[in-house]
Amino acid sequence: MENLVEKAQIMNEVEISRAISRIAHEIIEKNKGVDDDLLIIGIQRRGVPLAERIAQKIQEVENKPVKVGKLDITFYRDDLSTLAEHPVVNRTEINYSVTDKKIILVDDVLYTGRTVRAAIDAIMDLGRPSMIQLAVLIDRGHRELPIRVDYVGKNVPTARNEVIHVKLVEIDGVNKVVIAQKCDWINCINSKD
């Protein structure tokens, strides 16, 4: 049986807030301000509150509301059959046309790139945006697909047996990012010593 042992906290609430603020400013700068063509879409689950926080920060700086959407990619995943017998399906809520829009896709952790590929497929089924940019809180490396991040809160080099957990108050009741290690029961016992 495989367990996870928390190794370290790599971001606290203040550091998460700073990263979101920096990402928001970089989005404004790269897109030369914000207009009605900008749409921020969070990937369910933790990408959604991050997208909402980024949009709020942009609104504070630009004094202009930013459209936010929620994207569920469950049925676009290439590993759907291995997830669970009954995968959890969240809702996609994008109340705007994506055609000819600049989309900022937001997720918590970028790893292999497969989640982002599924999200792009889901967006393309809704219309044809003029551009898709990617914002993530954590980039942990180990890409399996040619996916590049445009805005990143923190780069965290990891081993393949490590896992990054982003915990957000909207879902988890706390704001922090931790790194954990996968281990079998013997290694878990030794890791706790």
Side-chain angles (χ1 to χ4, degrees), residues 164-177:
I164 301 286
H165 287 292
V166 174
K167 298 185 181 206
L168 301 173
V169 72
E170 295 90 338
I171 296 170
D172 308 294
V174 65
N175 288 312
K176 67 179 181 176
V177 180

Side-chain angles (χ1 to χ4, degrees), residues 74-163:
T74 302
F75 294 116
Y76 290 86
R77 294 180 62 113
D78 60 8
D79 62 351
L80 182 60
S81 63
T82 63
L83 286 180
E85 187 174 332
H86 302 288
V88 176
V89 178
N90 296 292
R91 292 175 38 161
T92 290
E93 295 178 31
I94 302 174
N95 301 321
Y96 315 97
S97 170
V98 300
T99 300
D100 297 325
K101 299 290 191 274
K102 287 186 237 174
I103 306 291
I104 311 295
L105 196 57
V106 180
D107 204 6
D108 57 347
V109 178
L110 179 59
Y111 180 36
T112 63
R114 292 181 182 277
T115 297
V116 174
R117 184 218 37 95
I120 291 170
D121 287 349
I123 288 171
M124 297 306 269
D125 278 353
L126 299 173
R128 190 173 191 278
S130 63
M131 173 186 302
I132 298 176
Q133 299 172 4
L134 177 62
V136 297
L137 185 62
I138 303 291
D139 182 351
R140 63 168 289 196
H142 302 287
R143 220 73 80 237
E144 294 174 3
L145 299 173
I147 301 291
R148 178 186 54 85
V149 66
D150 296 284
Y151 313 102
V152 63
K154 185 171 186 147
N155 288 292
V156 181
T158 61
R160 287 204 179 267
N161 69 336
E162 293 174 323
V163 177

